[in-house]
C-alpha cells in the first residue's frame, strides 16, 4: 500500500443519521506512543464522541482507542481527551459556528493519510425526529427504484 492512500479505519455512521453535516474539516491528532499502533490495528470507536473547543484549542472527547496488547505499562487511557491539530482560521470558524443554537462538532471518520492519523470532523445541526423519518423514506424509495431498474434490465 502506498503512503498517499487514505485508509479509513473507523466511521461514525450515526452522525449522518442524527445530524445535517454542513461543513467538514480534516484535523490531525496528538497521540501518545501506543495509540497510533492501536489505530493502525483498527481498534478505534467513534460512537458517542464529540469535539469541543477550550481556550482556543480543539479537543476530541470520548473517542475510544483500545489499549495496545503489547503496550504493557506504556498504554494509554482509552477515552482521554485528545488534541486536534487545526489551523487558527479553522478553529475560529468552528468557534463561531458551534456557538449557534443546535450546532455541534462531530467526528465523522478516522483514517491514515501519509502515515499520520487524521480525523474528519463535521459541523452539524441536529435533526428532529421527523427529519430522520423523512431521510429513511427517501433511502427506501431510492432502494426500491434501484431494485426496479435492476429487475427491468434483467
Amino acid at each position: 500500500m502506498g503512503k498517499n492512500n487514505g485508509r479509513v479505519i473507523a466511521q461514525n455512521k450515526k452522525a449522518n443519521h442524527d445530524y445535517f453535516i454542513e461543513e467538514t474539516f480534516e484535523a490531525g491528532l496528538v497521540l501518545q506512543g501506543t495509540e497510533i499502533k492501536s489505530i493502525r490495528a483498527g481498534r478505534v470507536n467513534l460512537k458517542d464522541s464529540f469535539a469541543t473547543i477550550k481556550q482556543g484549542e480543539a479537543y476530541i472527547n470520548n473517542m475510544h482507542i483500545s489499549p495496545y496488547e503489547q503496550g504493557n505499562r506504556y498504554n494509554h487511557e482509552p477515552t482521554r481527551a485528545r488534541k486536534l491539530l487545526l489551523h487558527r482560521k479553522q478553529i475560529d470558524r468552528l468557534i463561531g459556528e458551534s456557538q449557534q443554537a443546535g450546532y455541534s462538532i462531530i467526528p465523522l471518520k478516522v483514517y491514515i493519510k501519509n502515515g499520520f492519523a487524521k480525523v474528519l470532523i463535521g459541523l452539524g445541526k441536529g435533526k428532529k425526529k421527523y427529519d430522520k423519518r423523512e431521510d429513511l423514506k427517501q433511502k427506501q424509495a431510492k432502494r426500491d427504484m434501484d431494485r426496479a431498474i435492476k429487475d427491468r434490465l434483467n
Side-chain angles (χ1 to χ4, degrees):
M1 185 175 92
K3 260 198 152 189
N4 291 331
N5 296 341
R7 184 172 60 115
V8 176
I9 305 295
Q11 281 189 316
N12 189 353
K13 294 180 181 177
K14 284 292 270 184
N16 286 322
H17 184 263
D18 293 338
Y19 297 94
F20 292 112
I21 305 298
E22 296 182 1
E23 195 171 356
T24 60
F25 299 93
E26 182 182 68
L29 278 168
V30 175
L31 299 172
Q32 291 179 348
T34 57
E35 288 177 327
I36 188 63
K37 293 180 179 189
S38 291
I39 288 175
R40 286 194 176 120
R43 312 224 14 185
V44 181
N45 189 351
L46 288 175
K47 190 177 180 184
D48 298 330
S49 61
F50 60 96
T52 57
I53 298 177
K54 294 178 192 163
Q55 299 160 352
E57 294 181 341
Y59 293 92
I60 187 166
N61 300 308
N62 287 349
M63 181 172 79
H64 189 278
I65 299 177
S66 297
Y68 187 59
E69 283 100 16
Q70 287 84 32
N72 58 36
R73 67 177 183 209
Y74 299 108
N75 268 328
H76 54 276
E77 184 184 331
T79 57
R80 72 179 184 88
R82 293 166 180 90
K83 188 174 176 182
L84 294 175
L85 302 173
L86 290 164
H87 293 286
R88 171 59 46 204
K89 286 183 179 179
Q90 292 174 329
I91 291 173
D92 292 342
R93 185 175 177 118
L94 282 172
I95 289 170
E97 300 271 343
S98 66
Q99 287 179 347
Q100 295 177 15
Y103 281 89
S104 301
I105 306 169
I106 306 108
L108 304 173
K109 287 182 194 176
V110 174
Y111 54 95
I112 304 289
K113 182 177 177 184
N114 294 333
F116 296 103
K118 303 283 185 180
V119 177
L120 186 70
I121 58 173
L123 186 65
K125 185 173 176 81
K127 286 185 183 179
K128 304 284 186 217
K129 199 167 195 172
Y130 56 84
D131 292 328
K132 294 177 189 178
R133 283 195 296 259
E134 187 63 35
D135 280 352
L136 288 174
K137 286 179 191 175
Q138 288 175 356
K139 283 182 187 176
Q140 186 62 40
K142 184 179 181 327
R143 249 187 250 126
D144 292 341
M145 285 191 295
D146 290 344
R147 194 175 298 132
I149 290 170
K150 185 179 175 185
D151 290 342
R152 208 159 215 233
L153 293 176
N154 290 335

